[in-house]
Amino acid sequence: MVQKAKILLVDDRPENLLALEAILSALDQTLVRASSGEEALKALLTDDFAVILLDVQMPGMDGFETAAHIKRRERTRDIPIIFLTAINHGPHHTFRGYAAGAVDYISKPFDPWVLRAKVSVFVELYTKNCQLREQAALLRLQLEGGGSNGLDAGKETAGLLAELSARLAAVEEQAEALTKQLGEDSADAGVVATAAHLERKLTGLRRALDALEPGSAGGAPALPSQN
């Protein structure tokens, strides 16, 4: 059974957290609340998250400062961050969000479908990445230990590689479809950053998987970070 991905929701207002939960509940993943930047950083010490939805305007440690701490930690630096803000200070404010390491920057009120669709891509990428890492580890054990019969082991390896490739192809297709759909809204400044992030991660996964193919140079490299 595939374990549910965790999504971190960070906002100092309980009503905003409740609204986010209502929007994202359809994804059927584990939603974790944090009412401050400090609380979010504590949650990130022990749990792995597929994506973080981070409010910009918070008392004490604001969203930008929280994101800076997240990006400084090796364990969390690659987790996608989507900034949410109730105010719009123009291009400079948006640029600050991307400079802080966000993959997207969304102003409230936002379209629930768009937010859910963007989050779903990162959840899907995270889930498939975890599956690929687990199956790649199994494949390495098979390659190192061999099987009772060399021919049988070869067939198992080929079958597993084909399944890995098919799983990754499904993610690539979903990401391409979403990017195309979001790209129709030219006012969405976050599309370029989101698409670039997905492209980098998927390219890394595809390269690692191709390296596992029989006859490839370099053996079986480690797959990229799960985020």
Side-chain angles (χ1 to χ4, degrees):
M1 181 178 296
V2 178
Q3 185 176 1
K4 292 183 178 181
K6 292 183 178 179
I7 303 171
L8 183 58
L9 313 177
V10 189
D11 199 304
D12 63 298
R13 299 177 67 89
E15 62 270 25
N16 290 342
L17 291 172
L18 186 61
L20 288 174
E21 289 176 338
I23 292 171
L24 301 176
S25 60
L27 298 180
D28 192 28
Q29 304 299 324
T30 301
L31 306 178
V32 178
R33 284 189 176 199
S35 58
S36 67
E38 293 85 355
E39 190 175 333
L41 294 177
K42 288 181 180 179
L44 288 163
L45 288 174
T46 55
D47 290 325
D48 294 323
F49 292 90
V51 61
I52 302 170
L53 274 63
L54 181 57
D55 183 40
V56 172
Q57 302 295 323
M58 294 187 295
M61 185 184 296
D62 66 12
F64 295 130
E65 187 178 355
T66 302
H69 282 287
I70 293 172
K71 293 304 178 181
R72 279 198 291 266
R73 294 178 178 177
E74 183 176 357
R75 173 188 172 93
T76 59
R77 65 179 54 169
D78 290 327
I79 302 178
I81 298 175
I82 297 178
F83 271 132
L84 304 175
T85 179
I87 59 176
N88 188 355
H89 290 303
H92 176 73
H93 200 66
T94 303
F95 175 77
R96 186 182 175 190
Y98 291 126
V103 298
D104 213 339
Y105 191 100
I106 303 177
S107 297
K108 305 173 186 177
F110 44 77
D111 185 329
W113 184 92
V114 172
L115 179 63
R116 186 164 53 243
K118 289 183 177 183
V119 171
S120 70
V121 169
F122 291 113
V123 168
E124 185 73 12
L125 181 60
Y126 173 87
T127 301
K128 295 300 184 183
N129 202 338
C130 289
Q131 292 175 351
L132 287 170
R133 290 172 66 87
E134 292 172 358
Q135 292 176 343
L138 176 60
L139 176 60
R140 292 190 186 97
L141 288 176
Q142 292 177 341
L143 292 175
E144 293 171 0
S148 58
N149 182 286
L151 181 60
D152 290 341
K155 289 181 179 179
E156 291 178 3
T157 298
L160 186 53
L161 283 173
E163 182 179 355
L164 286 169
S165 181
R167 288 176 181 271
L168 181 54
V171 180
E172 291 170 332
E173 182 178 353
Q174 292 171 359
E176 182 179 357
L178 179 62
T179 299
K180 180 179 179 181
Q181 186 165 11
L182 295 179
E184 295 174 356
D185 181 7
S186 59
D188 189 346
V191 171
V192 174
T194 301
H197 182 91
L198 286 172
E199 184 178 356
R200 289 195 301 273
K201 296 305 179 183
L202 289 173
T203 298
L205 285 171
R206 176 58 70 182
R207 186 180 296 116
L209 181 57
D210 289 343
L212 292 172
E213 292 288 348
S216 64
L223 284 171
S225 169
Q226 64 185 13
N227 297 305

